[in-house]
Amino acid sequence: MRMRREAQLATRDRCEVNWIASDSGADAVKGKVRWDPAHSLWNGGMLVVAVAFGAQTFSWGAFAVFVLLSGAFILLGHSLGFHRLLIHQSFQTLRPLRYFLIWCGVMAGMSGPHWIIKTHDLRDWAQRQAKCHPYLSHRSAIWKDAWWQLHCRLQLKRPPQFDLGEVGKDRFLRFLEASWMLHQLPLALILFALGGWGWVVWGICARVASTVHGHWFVGYLAHRRGPQSNLVRDAGVQAHDVPWAAIPTMGEAWHNNHHAYPGSAKIGVYPGQSDWGYALIALLQKCGLVWDVCLPRDMPDRKRSLESVL
């Protein structure tokens, strides 16, 4: 089974939008932005609690919990589990470790695995078109874009068709999708037992609020301004790097590199570009825990689609 899977991965286009089955007749421009009550109340609620109670519950212990858990779940969950593994399949790993990394992605607090896939790939697909809705290109004013991305969803009149395949049928991932908010509760109980309400406020609410809002802010900047190494031919939206965010995003902020080589497990491609996500993948590969790690050199044909601006 593993050999057949590796053969399939070796022959597929590592830069494709993996989970869109068909975009025949799809339109990336026409659609309406609607309020998304579940994510709006979740994101807004976490921010309100963090702002209202953060100062009065602050302690250095609570702050240390905030930093350590934020770093762990962004690195293991958002960067490795959700983005590089689940969405782009830039490496493969053992099923228990795969599930653990994806669970860590849920613990980052943005949403469940299916929602993350569809949201990411819709934007990925749309930005490759000649034109797309400003919701998908981050082309609105900053406060409007913040409201849209954190509290709303886009309903295209003619969206592309998704096929999640085995990922959509996987019972564990379906469970995570249905219960993603609830997974903070066991951790909250542990934090309360160890450090009281301060650890809960900083370890849950402040952490989730900063992760969600930070993810939006870096994404906003990464599609508007900053250094560029390559342009993707025929793409209506180009990406920029956000160097100051390289460490807090575990390497995800080298977004121009990511647009250039979407399937690469290494996003900090050039010398001096910090990429803790890939550093961990490389370590796990040496330990025999991951394999089929895709790098830019594994996509030699991709250069035909790029224009260097260095």
Side-chain angles (χ1 to χ4, degrees):
M1 179 65 72
R2 175 174 164 179
M3 293 180 62
R4 182 165 65 250
R5 175 63 176 161
E6 289 179 344
Q8 292 172 345
L9 289 168
T11 57
R12 73 176 178 85
D13 182 357
R14 303 305 291 261
C15 293
E16 66 184 357
V17 182
N18 292 318
W19 306 104
I20 291 181
S22 173
D23 63 354
S24 178
D27 186 340
V29 178
K30 296 180 181 178
K32 292 185 177 181
V33 178
R34 305 287 191 185
W35 183 52
D36 181 347
H39 286 90
S40 179
L41 294 174
W42 175 261
N43 296 337
M46 289 292 178
L47 181 62
V48 167
V49 172
V51 171
F53 300 104
Q56 67 190 69
T57 61
F58 176 84
S59 68
W60 288 112
F63 184 70
V65 168
F66 165 79
V67 172
L68 291 173
L69 291 181
S70 295
F73 290 135
I74 291 172
L75 173 61
L76 297 172
H78 171 68
S79 183
L80 265 68
F82 271 0
H83 194 210
R84 307 192 205 203
L85 175 60
L86 183 62
I87 293 173
H88 288 289
Q89 303 176 72
S90 62
F91 67 94
Q92 298 299 308
T93 187
L94 303 169
R95 179 173 293 185
L97 182 54
R98 172 183 171 84
Y99 283 162
F100 172 70
L101 293 175
I102 294 173
W103 173 81
C104 286
V106 168
M107 291 302 295
M110 286 188 284
S111 197
H114 294 167
W115 185 91
I116 287 289
I117 288 174
K118 291 181 178 179
T119 300
H120 176 282
D121 275 17
L122 179 64
R123 192 180 305 276
D124 192 349
W125 165 79
Q127 291 179 357
R128 300 183 187 203
Q129 311 306 308
K131 295 181 179 180
C132 67
H133 193 283
Y135 176 99
L136 297 167
S137 63
H138 294 283
R139 286 295 181 261
S140 296
I142 187 169
W143 294 114
K144 184 176 183 179
D145 192 72
W147 170 253
W148 276 4
Q149 307 298 331
L150 296 167
H151 299 277
C152 303
R153 56 188 171 87
L154 175 64
Q155 288 183 330
L156 289 176
K157 288 186 177 180
R158 297 195 301 274
Q161 300 301 309
F162 284 88
D163 181 3
L164 298 185
E166 294 301 317
V167 168
K169 301 174 184 177
D170 189 295
R171 291 184 178 180
F172 182 65
L173 298 191
R174 291 172 64 182
F175 164 70
L176 293 180
E177 182 66 25
S179 61
W180 65 273
M181 293 183 185
L182 300 177
H183 289 262
Q184 304 296 334
L185 290 177
L187 178 59
L189 292 174
I190 294 172
L191 293 177
F192 180 77
L194 294 175
W197 284 114
W199 281 31
V200 175
V201 170
W202 283 88
I204 301 295
C205 300
R207 172 181 60 81
V208 171
S210 66
T211 297
V212 170
H213 289 76
H215 178 264
W216 159 73
F217 185 57
V218 173
Y220 179 80
L221 296 180
H223 294 95
R224 295 185 65 92
R225 61 179 65 89
Q228 293 177 304
S229 301
N230 294 281
L231 300 179
V232 181
R233 291 190 178 96
D234 301 324
V237 178
Q238 301 292 338
H240 303 262
D241 293 328
V242 188
W244 63 264
I247 291 179
T249 63
M250 306 300 166
E252 299 288 333
W254 304 113
H255 203 60
N256 182 261
N257 296 346
H258 180 58
H259 272 224
Y261 299 100
S264 175
K266 185 177 184 180
I267 302 177
V269 174
Y270 299 102
Q273 294 185 336
S274 173
D275 187 351
W276 288 15
Y278 175 69
L280 180 55
I281 292 172
L283 176 61
L284 292 173
Q285 185 178 28
K286 289 181 179 179
C287 296
L289 296 175
V290 307
W291 57 89
D292 189 41
V293 178
C294 182
L295 299 176
R297 65 170 179 259
D298 300 317
M299 298 175 279
D301 294 338
R302 180 62 174 171
K303 292 184 179 180
R304 300 174 187 174
S305 301
L306 303 177
E307 295 180 9
S308 175
V309 294
L310 289 177

